[in-house]
Amino acid sequence: MSDTHDIYFDDVVVGAKFTTDSHAITAADIARFCDLTRDHHPLHTDADYAGSRGFGGVIAHGLYGLALMEGLKTELKLYQNSSIASLGWDRVRFLRPVIAGDVVRVGFEFTEKRTSSRPGRGIVIETLRLLNQRDECVIEAQHSALLACRSDATS
């Protein structure tokens, strides 16, 4: 595929940075996440209630923002054939609300890499930031991923 840019463990350069396309958050997106997760708290469903709590409209669930970070990153198609597993998220911080109408994007960089105890694979750490239209960081986190080694993929 010409639109795939696989990065294998061998290709990872600590300090390399990437930015995703933007995504506009809608109240309908938030409502679908409410339905999917069964979390219908009024902060996510009632603009008047959210306003009474100091927000400018319904706010997205923190976990919606975190999941969206992974989805936007996936659209870059960096790991189409090299990804083995997500090993987890660490140091997740919800710094500012994500409000319906915000336009967000992800900036991330590789901050660590190490070989795995199993041959043919390695672990990378990505530091990610979800940024709104004002370039404010609304969510920050670290993600650990298990990637195949390029040499293993060709054998």
Side-chain angles (χ1 to χ4, degrees):
M1 276 190 264
S2 61
D3 62 348
T4 299
H5 311 285
D6 271 329
I7 293 178
Y8 287 83
F9 176 75
D10 322 58
D11 306 323
V12 170
V13 175
V14 172
K17 296 180 181 182
F18 301 85
T19 302
T20 70
D21 286 337
S22 296
H23 174 76
I25 306 291
T26 67
D29 290 338
I30 296 168
R32 283 193 300 275
F33 196 82
C34 287
D35 289 342
L36 181 66
T37 62
R38 302 172 52 109
D39 178 354
H40 292 89
H41 189 280
L43 285 172
H44 311 302
T45 60
D46 183 333
D48 291 334
Y49 178 86
S52 76
R53 298 297 185 255
F55 300 106
V58 293
I59 62 171
H61 306 69
L63 293 176
Y64 169 73
L66 189 64
L68 183 60
M69 290 169 76
E70 182 65 18
L72 288 170
K73 187 176 59 123
T74 299
E75 287 181 343
L76 293 175
K77 298 185 178 185
L78 299 176
Y79 310 122
Q80 291 296 100
N81 298 295
S82 57
S83 178
I84 297 172
S86 170
L87 300 177
W89 291 83
D90 296 297
R91 298 184 182 154
V92 176
R93 294 291 176 262
F94 304 124
L95 302 172
R96 289 181 172 82
V98 175
I99 301 170
D102 280 351
V103 177
V104 298
R105 70 187 184 291
V106 175
F108 74 97
E109 74 176 289
F110 292 117
T111 53
E112 295 178 45
K113 72 184 266 189
R114 65 182 183 278
T115 57
S116 171
S117 59
R118 293 182 60 190
R121 53 188 65 193
I123 298 167
V124 297
I125 309 294
E126 306 160 335
T127 297
L128 299 100
R129 300 174 73 216
L130 187 66
L131 305 167
N132 65 19
Q133 67 276 8
R134 292 176 297 280
D135 287 327
E136 298 167 328
C137 183
V138 295
I139 300 174
E140 64 182 12
Q142 286 188 336
H143 178 244
S144 301
L146 186 63
L147 299 181
C149 292
R150 184 172 292 285
S151 55
D152 192 56
T154 58
S155 50

